[in-house]
mmCIF file of all heavy atoms in Angstrom:
data_model
loop_
_atom_site.group_PDB
_atom_site.id
_atom_site.type_symbol
_atom_site.label_atom_id
_atom_site.label_comp_id
_atom_site.label_asym_id
_atom_site.label_seq_id
_atom_site.Cartn_x
_atom_site.Cartn_y
_atom_site.Cartn_z
ATOM 1 N N HIS A 8 23.424 -4.343 -27.465
ATOM 2 C CA HIS A 8 23.606 -2.840 -27.511
ATOM 3 C C HIS A 8 22.404 -2.085 -27.556
ATOM 4 O O HIS A 8 22.292 -1.035 -27.029
ATOM 5 C CB HIS A 8 24.542 -2.572 -28.801
ATOM 6 C CG HIS A 8 23.765 -2.168 -29.977
ATOM 7 N ND1 HIS A 8 23.249 -3.161 -30.873
ATOM 8 C CD2 HIS A 8 23.478 -0.989 -30.472
ATOM 9 C CE1 HIS A 8 22.614 -2.502 -31.826
ATOM 10 N NE2 HIS A 8 22.699 -1.216 -31.647
ATOM 11 N N ASP A 9 21.360 -2.622 -28.237
ATOM 12 C CA ASP A 9 20.102 -1.793 -28.361
ATOM 13 C C ASP A 9 19.386 -1.799 -27.019
ATOM 14 O O ASP A 9 18.799 -0.763 -26.715
ATOM 15 C CB ASP A 9 19.201 -2.394 -29.458
ATOM 16 C CG ASP A 9 19.441 -1.820 -30.780
ATOM 17 O OD1 ASP A 9 20.581 -1.525 -31.056
ATOM 18 O OD2 ASP A 9 18.441 -1.559 -31.515
ATOM 19 N N HIS A 102 21.841 -4.532 -38.308
ATOM 20 C CA HIS A 102 22.284 -3.202 -38.921
ATOM 21 C C HIS A 102 23.605 -2.734 -38.315
ATOM 22 O O HIS A 102 23.956 -3.001 -37.206
ATOM 23 C CB HIS A 102 21.159 -2.167 -38.733
ATOM 24 C CG HIS A 102 21.003 -1.737 -37.263
ATOM 25 N ND1 HIS A 102 21.649 -0.669 -36.821
ATOM 26 C CD2 HIS A 102 20.198 -2.237 -36.405
ATOM 27 C CE1 HIS A 102 21.217 -0.494 -35.450
ATOM 28 N NE2 HIS A 102 20.400 -1.497 -35.198
ATOM 29 N N HIS A 108 19.825 -8.741 -33.392
ATOM 30 C CA HIS A 108 19.065 -8.369 -32.223
ATOM 31 C C HIS A 108 17.587 -7.912 -32.744
ATOM 32 O O HIS A 108 17.421 -7.873 -33.891
ATOM 33 C CB HIS A 108 19.705 -7.219 -31.462
ATOM 34 C CG HIS A 108 19.852 -5.962 -32.276
ATOM 35 N ND1 HIS A 108 20.973 -5.834 -33.168
ATOM 36 C CD2 HIS A 108 19.208 -4.807 -32.337
ATOM 37 C CE1 HIS A 108 20.928 -4.640 -33.716
ATOM 38 N NE2 HIS A 108 19.867 -4.003 -33.224
ATOM 39 N N HIS A 110 14.434 -5.311 -33.067
ATOM 40 C CA HIS A 110 13.841 -3.999 -32.929
ATOM 41 C C HIS A 110 12.319 -4.219 -32.720
ATOM 42 O O HIS A 110 11.761 -4.998 -33.423
ATOM 43 C CB HIS A 110 14.010 -3.226 -34.202
ATOM 44 C CG HIS A 110 15.407 -2.592 -34.341
ATOM 45 N ND1 HIS A 110 15.800 -1.850 -35.387
ATOM 46 C CD2 HIS A 110 16.491 -2.635 -33.530
ATOM 47 C CE1 HIS A 110 17.036 -1.431 -35.261
ATOM 48 N NE2 HIS A 110 17.463 -1.921 -34.105
HETATM 49 ZN ZN1 ZN B 207 19.460 -1.926 -33.409
#
Side-chain angles (χ1 to χ4, degrees):
H8 94 275
D9 269 36
H102 67 93
H108 60 280
H110 281 178

